[in-house]
Every structure is written in C-alpha cells, then in structure tokens.
Amino acid sequence: MTDLRTEDLATIYPKPTPRVIAKARPAIDVHARKFIEMSPFCVLATSGADGSVDASPRGGSIGFVHVAGPDQLLMPDRSGNNRIDSFRNVVEGSGFVHLLFFVPGIDETLRVGGRGTLSADPDLLASMVEFGKPPRAVLSVAVSEVYFHCGKALMRSKLWAAEKVQRSVMPSISEVIHDQTSLGEPESQDVVEARYKTQL
C-alpha cells in the first residue's frame, strides 16, 4: 500500500465548488442557532499539546448547548469518567475545539469551530442546572467557523432508520472493561443502566 501525498489528492478529488467554500460562516446565524437549539447530542473534538486528538460524545436535554450570541456557545459539563482529556486539551493544548451537532431525524449535521475556555463560575453553573444538578464546569467557545454538512454520511449509515440493534448483542460496558482489564466487577446491562440514571 502506498501512502498518498498532498499532490496526489488533487488527482483524486475535484476542487470544492464556490458554494461549498462560501457556506463556512464566521458566526452563528439563524439557521445554525435553530439547529443547535434542537440538538440533544454533539461530538466535541480537541487537540493536545503533543498533537494528539480527542473526540468525546456530549449530550443532554434538547438545546443543552446554549447559544450565548452569534460568536459564543456555552456547553455545561456533566458527570462522566473523569478522564477530562478534552478539558486538558483546552487548557494545555491548542485551545481550538470543534463541535459536530446532531438532531435526530435530520440527516444534515452542523459543525462549529472556535477557541475554548473553561469556567467554574458559581453563577454560571447555577444557571445551567439539568437533571437536578449544576454542571461541574462550563466550556465557552469563541466561535470562528460554522457550517452545515450534507446528509450523505447519515443517509448511507441509515442512522435514524427504525431498524435498531438489540442491546443484548453486545455485553455491557462493565463486562467489556472487566474482560479487557480484569478490574472491577462485571455488571449486567440492567445494573449499568440503573446506575447511569442516578449519575446523569
């Protein structure tokens, strides 16, 4: 297998159309705002000081990421695994972040990029109570680029199709991690889900 070089890419992919280039906007407009306010889920991508990249799923109630203005987003941080890879990248790495927003039932996605900072201001945390709890921190994104992706990837994957995989085809995450590490106790999916519900 031969690795492609920069000059090889131009022979494989045509240049993007002017419309594709122009769709990248410098701020959140009415359409992007509506999409974010409908979104219960996004993926947060960050880069570390060593060049590593982290992508982390984030979710909440519909509109859990707050549009504070055309150039600012506020994302509350909820209970997780405490690795805080994303947040270490924000404070120690480049500070650049990208968010990819999904809305169930819509094949298009929205990408938002900018520079992130973190806050644990008590008043800000108190304004973002969800599931009966304030967040532990809030990620503020100074937005510099916003654009919609076409729906081809989600259409190919049939992500929103009615046919769903039965959860029973995979062992619980507790069982998987026990198999991988021999640490902790292997818990059933019912036990894992019950615990999740107390930690949202």
Side-chain angles (χ1 to χ4, degrees):
M1 185 174 70
T2 303
D3 293 340
L4 294 176
R5 299 163 299 173
T6 300
E7 54 267 31
D8 298 324
L9 297 177
T11 67
I12 299 172
Y13 297 96
K15 289 183 178 181
T17 65
R19 187 180 186 191
V20 168
I21 299 299
K23 74 175 182 176
R25 314 306 299 163
I28 299 168
D29 67 2
V30 61
H31 303 293
R33 182 183 188 112
K34 182 174 183 179
F35 198 91
I36 293 166
E37 290 176 345
M38 292 190 299
S39 175
F41 177 79
C42 67
V43 176
L44 168 65
T46 59
S47 58
D50 61 354
S52 62
V53 176
D54 182 76
S56 174
R58 303 294 167 126
S61 298
I62 290 172
F64 77 102
V65 175
H66 299 246
V67 181
D71 57 359
Q72 186 184 24
L73 292 180
L74 297 173
M75 173 188 285
D77 183 52
R78 305 294 173 189
S79 173
N81 60 18
N82 297 319
R83 284 181 55 111
I84 57 173
D85 297 314
S86 299
F87 286 173
R88 288 189 193 281
N89 287 347
V90 169
V91 300
E92 298 174 359
S94 70
F96 290 113
V97 304
H98 267 89
L99 298 164
L100 186 62
F101 288 93
F102 295 77
V103 174
I106 297 178
D107 287 330
E108 288 74 25
T109 54
L110 177 72
R111 180 170 171 168
V112 179
R115 186 175 288 275
T117 55
L118 292 173
S119 175
D121 177 77
D123 291 336
L124 181 59
L125 300 184
S127 72
M128 295 189 169
V129 172
E130 189 178 8
F131 308 109
K133 303 172 187 176
R136 295 174 298 177
V138 173
L139 172 66
S140 175
V141 180
V143 175
S144 58
E145 183 180 54
V146 183
Y147 63 92
F148 282 94
H149 280 287
C150 75
K152 293 176 185 174
L154 270 67
M155 291 176 72
R156 292 183 189 116
S157 68
K158 299 180 181 177
L159 187 62
W160 309 131
E163 309 85 41
K164 293 182 174 61
V165 173
Q166 294 299 312
R167 183 60 186 84
S168 58
V169 303
M170 277 288 291
S172 73
I173 189 171
S174 174
E175 292 165 334
V176 169
I177 294 173
H178 182 267
D179 286 348
Q180 294 171 335
T181 68
S182 298
L183 297 174
E185 295 299 323
E187 299 171 321
S188 70
Q189 184 63 24
D190 289 342
V191 171
V192 171
E193 288 183 3
R195 186 175 67 255
Y196 280 169
K197 291 176 182 177
T198 68
Q199 298 174 345
L200 293 176

